[in-house]
Amino acid sequence: MKSGLTRTLDIKSSDIIDECNILIKSYREITDKIENIDSLNIHDIIEIIKAKTEIGNSVDFIIFFQKFIRKLELEKSPSIQIYKATYNHLIKFNKSDILDVNKVTPKYLTEFEQYLSKENIGSRGQNLYLSRIRSVFNIIIDEYEHLGYTFSYPFRKYKLPKVKTPQTIALTKEQLNSIISVDLKGKVRAERSRDIFLISLFSLGTNATDLYDLEASNKGRLEYNRNKTKSKRYDNAFISINIEPELKPLLEKYKGIDPFLFSFRDMFANKPRFNRAIREGLRQVAEIIGMPYFDFYDARRTMASIMRNKLRISKDDVSMCLNHVDMAHKTTDFYIETDFSILDECNRKFLDYLFDKGDYSHKKVIDDMKKLF
């Protein structure tokens, strides 16, 4: 390299000088088009030049999506799984790991929606996946627009598919008792899934992802921040539930290693596998009992429906049991201290209805449950 320079470190070769001039000219053409360049620092300008010379005045949507997923992994974000699922479907649909962001048009999104439908993804799933694509698109705009990039925003014309909410059909008391009492000895997956379903049923419909993460009880109570909404609520979606006698045998049966309350982490490497095993096991339970297929979320739906329709518990109290926030009362709730004994009373009424216990002694409840499990 030194041989190509003069003693004053000037370049000798006219060919190299010509190439450098061409390169400098291309950089000037890029910088001339950058809006508000005076407000940018040298690092921003270098990044713009590097990006525009490498990917031709655009951003690769899939490469950016990959980087965003890595960021969520480092942050241990609770939404990582849905973004990964969206990315996997996008790659399968796109049939390439290259996607110019400008090709994410209303037509492209409509075709992606049609692909999801053919993959038997319901309206809720379609809405979730496409809303995640919109979120990534918005982040790209936030990160690149101020650097001089321009985007045609497809979501002005393309509208996310509406979620078609089916009518809630709760399991009956008779069906629940069949699930509780069916003999599943020797059918490991079915028995375990049934038990996890009942843990949810006896703990105000606790979600599977929260059961997986649940840590040791506090003075006879299950206390946790609901994964689904903790990042969106001022109270971090905290809930405290009394451990009723019906639940205690199941806690003992699936006792985890400190600090976790349940042993599910020892059985399943991650939450998707945990959820998949529950679904497959409950399908077996339904076949054995001879009833229509029910899913894990039916524990939550059924508990809430029975509380409201059979026990006439107010919607506000049912909402509290579900760890929901009533947007109409959000400001008022900010000023009221949460009394979790209300949840305990509702849960006790539900369990008494389910088992017809009334003033049935707690000791006998525990003895009977131990025989079942």
Side-chain angles (χ1 to χ4, degrees):
M1 183 67 184
K2 287 183 179 179
S3 62
L5 300 176
T6 66
R7 289 183 180 180
T8 58
L9 301 181
D10 291 326
I11 298 172
K12 292 180 181 179
S13 171
S14 59
D15 289 338
I16 294 175
I17 292 173
D18 289 343
E19 287 182 22
C20 287
N21 286 333
I22 291 170
L23 194 59
I24 292 168
K25 183 175 181 294
S26 70
Y27 289 168
R28 281 176 175 165
E29 288 175 352
I30 292 172
T31 55
D32 286 344
K33 294 177 182 178
I34 299 175
E35 295 180 9
N36 303 317
I37 191 170
D38 293 338
S39 65
L40 302 178
N41 60 44
I42 187 63
H43 299 293
D44 287 336
I45 295 171
I46 290 171
E47 285 302 311
I48 293 172
I49 292 172
K50 284 170 62 179
K52 295 206 172 195
T53 53
E54 289 171 5
I55 57 177
N57 298 326
S58 187
V59 178
D60 190 297
F61 189 84
I62 287 176
I63 290 175
F64 186 89
F65 208 144
Q66 290 172 341
K67 292 178 180 177
F68 181 67
I69 287 175
R70 286 198 290 272
K71 177 175 178 287
L72 293 180
E73 287 175 332
L74 290 172
E75 295 172 350
K76 296 182 179 179
S77 170
S79 60
I80 181 64
Q81 295 303 329
I82 187 64
Y83 277 101
K84 280 185 174 181
T86 304
Y87 175 82
N88 291 335
H89 278 294
L90 184 63
I91 289 292
K92 187 176 178 181
F93 165 72
N94 195 59
K95 297 179 181 178
S96 170
D97 56 2
I98 297 172
L99 177 60
D100 185 326
V101 69
N102 293 315
K103 292 184 178 179
V104 182
T105 62
K107 181 176 182 293
Y108 183 90
L109 294 169
T110 300
E111 290 173 352
F112 181 59
E113 180 184 334
Q114 292 168 350
Y115 151 82
L116 292 173
S117 180
K118 290 177 182 177
E119 291 288 306
N120 294 318
I121 306 296
S123 62
R124 177 169 174 75
Q126 293 173 32
N127 180 277
L128 279 171
Y129 293 143
L130 281 153
S131 67
R132 295 310 179 273
I133 287 178
R134 183 179 63 184
S135 296
V136 173
F137 201 107
N138 288 339
I139 295 168
I140 288 174
I141 292 175
D142 289 343
E143 293 199 10
Y144 285 90
E145 196 168 44
H146 76 286
L147 299 177
Y149 287 74
T150 58
F151 302 94
S152 178
Y153 193 58
F155 294 94
R156 288 193 183 93
K157 291 184 178 179
Y158 174 80
K159 302 302 178 185
L160 297 181
K162 292 183 179 179
V163 177
K164 299 172 184 176
T165 306
Q167 182 181 1
T168 297
I169 301 176
L171 298 175
T172 66
K173 180 178 177 179
E174 291 70 29
Q175 286 174 324
L176 290 175
N177 281 321
S178 294
I179 294 167
I180 292 168
S181 61
V182 63
D183 183 4
L184 297 172
K185 299 299 181 185
K187 300 176 179 64
V188 177
R189 177 169 288 180
E191 180 181 8
R192 184 167 53 210
S193 296
R194 185 273 309 274
D195 293 349
I196 296 169
F197 177 88
L198 294 181
I199 290 171
S200 176
L201 189 69
F202 299 164
S203 62
L204 299 176
T206 302
N207 289 339
T209 182
D210 294 315
L211 292 178
Y212 190 85
D213 289 339
L214 200 59
E215 297 190 359
S217 59
N218 178 26
K219 297 180 181 178
R221 303 187 70 81
L222 303 182
E223 297 187 335
Y224 64 93
N225 302 95
R226 191 180 179 207
N227 277 313
K228 185 176 180 180
T229 52
K230 65 184 179 183
S231 63
K232 303 174 183 177
R233 300 238 312 254
Y234 69 89
D235 63 349
N236 299 317
F238 177 77
I239 190 169
S240 177
I241 306 166
N242 186 53
I243 297 173
E244 297 294 337
E246 291 84 351
L247 182 57
K248 289 181 179 178
L250 290 166
L251 265 64
E252 293 172 9
K253 183 174 180 178
Y254 295 96
K255 186 176 181 180
I257 299 172
D258 189 63
F260 297 102
L261 185 62
F262 294 109
S263 56
F264 305 138
R265 284 173 170 264
D266 302 324
M267 302 175 186
F268 305 99
N270 52 50
K271 293 173 186 176
R273 291 185 182 180
F274 181 49
N275 284 317
R276 185 163 58 248
I278 294 173
R279 287 196 300 271
E280 293 171 356
L282 291 181
R283 189 172 287 107
Q284 292 177 17
V285 174
E287 290 174 359
I288 292 167
I289 296 174
M291 63 178 282
Y293 170 71
F294 62 97
D295 63 32
F296 180 81
Y297 218 72
D298 281 324
R300 188 172 175 85
R301 281 190 283 258
T302 298
M303 177 275 298
S305 296
I306 288 176
M307 280 187 178
R308 181 68 189 122
N309 300 331
K310 301 295 183 182
L311 304 175
R312 296 295 188 257
I313 293 171
S314 72
K315 283 187 178 181
D316 284 347
D317 286 348
V318 173
S319 178
M320 185 180 179
C321 288
L322 293 170
N323 202 5
H324 287 171
V325 168
D326 185 343
M327 298 307 293
H329 299 154
K330 188 174 181 180
T331 303
T332 304
D333 290 342
F334 185 80
Y335 292 94
I336 300 175
E337 180 183 1
T338 304
D339 182 0
F340 290 109
S341 68
I342 296 171
L343 276 63
D344 301 339
E345 291 171 9
C346 293
N347 199 22
R348 189 63 257 162
K349 287 179 182 178
F350 168 70
L351 293 171
D352 286 344
Y353 168 84
L354 182 58
F355 290 98
D356 286 327
K357 300 304 179 189
D359 59 354
Y360 198 42
S361 76
H362 282 185
K363 183 180 183 306
K364 192 166 189 330
V365 171
I366 294 174
D367 290 342
D368 285 354
M369 296 299 286
K370 281 182 176 179
K371 291 175 186 176
L372 284 172
F373 306 121

